Amino acid sequence: MKLKENMAKLLNEQINAEIFSAYLYLDYSNYFEDKGLNGFANWYMIQAKEEMSHAMMFYDYVHGNDGKVVLEAIDKPEGKFKDDMDVLKAALKHEEYVTGLINKMVKAAREADDLRTEHFLAWFVNEQAEEETTAKDLITKYELFATDGKGLYALNEELAGRQFTPPENE
């Protein structure tokens, strides 16, 4: 089944949004690397890898459904932060934005009676719920532990243990 024009457009926009997300999280990783918080840097590096894998899932889906992938320029992340919490809150805000994009595509798939695309997007709906929860949890942990040097050290060590696992869109 060939993708309808509007659906293909939205999916292409999402490819570019996911690549921007990866670029954004690389910027966050860089911020924490410069601060000597290698665990936080690792956490956001893994986020960047996840976002690129999401972009590739959309890329493969578009190609697998007789669509044409159109890559656009990727904006430069703003990269100006007051403090660590500013980065964490910006990440949550970004995840909420991406959730809105996913929801918009689901709605468009429903309106177009495109059950295949709606099924494909269901994985991303669940993924976004997880991403928002994880971002909120990181903010909470930072608020609880980072005001104390030992707490910040422990949280940084916890985040350093995160590893990338490629997602499966089942």
Side-chain angles (χ1 to χ4, degrees):
M1 176 180 92
K2 185 172 172 116
L3 290 169
K4 294 184 179 171
E5 187 177 330
N6 183 53
M7 201 72 246
K9 178 181 178 286
L10 291 172
L11 291 163
N12 270 291
E13 288 172 1
Q14 192 64 32
I15 291 169
N16 287 284
E18 297 289 344
I19 294 170
F20 173 76
S21 295
Y23 201 34
L24 183 68
Y25 288 135
L26 280 175
D27 192 40
Y28 295 176
S29 178
N30 187 49
Y31 168 85
F32 284 113
E33 195 70 49
D34 287 347
K35 292 200 71 182
L37 291 169
N38 65 327
F40 283 83
N42 175 66
W43 199 89
Y44 282 108
M45 181 61 70
I46 300 301
Q47 281 298 106
K49 290 178 182 180
E50 280 190 6
E51 301 303 342
M52 280 305 298
S53 70
H54 296 167
M56 293 310 300
M57 290 165 73
F58 281 101
Y59 178 94
D60 291 342
Y61 184 79
V62 170
H63 276 294
N65 288 277
D66 298 326
K68 178 169 176 46
V69 171
V70 179
L71 300 175
E72 301 291 341
I74 304 301
D75 291 334
K76 179 181 176 182
E78 191 174 300
K80 296 177 184 163
F81 309 107
K82 295 180 295 188
D83 54 29
D84 300 347
M85 185 58 82
D86 197 32
V87 176
L88 303 180
K89 287 182 178 179
L92 173 58
K93 183 177 178 183
H94 183 72
E95 289 299 339
E96 292 168 342
Y97 167 74
V98 172
T99 297
L101 296 176
I102 299 294
N103 291 342
K104 179 180 174 183
M105 284 188 293
V106 170
K107 183 178 179 185
R110 284 182 180 160
E111 289 171 356
D113 199 28
D114 184 348
L115 298 179
R116 182 183 301 173
T117 300
E118 186 176 350
H119 178 73
F120 169 74
L121 293 170
W123 184 89
F124 291 96
V125 170
N126 294 327
E127 175 69 7
Q128 282 310 119
E130 180 183 312
E131 292 290 355
E132 286 186 31
T133 297
T134 302
K136 289 174 189 173
D137 288 349
L138 187 52
I139 290 169
T140 299
K141 286 179 180 182
Y142 191 90
E143 289 173 337
L144 289 170
F145 305 117
T147 56
D148 168 66
K150 290 179 185 175
L152 180 59
Y153 177 81
L155 181 55
N156 188 62
E157 288 299 302
E158 175 187 325
L159 298 177
R162 184 176 186 206
Q163 296 182 1
F164 175 67
T165 305
E168 294 182 27
N169 187 349
E170 305 270 340

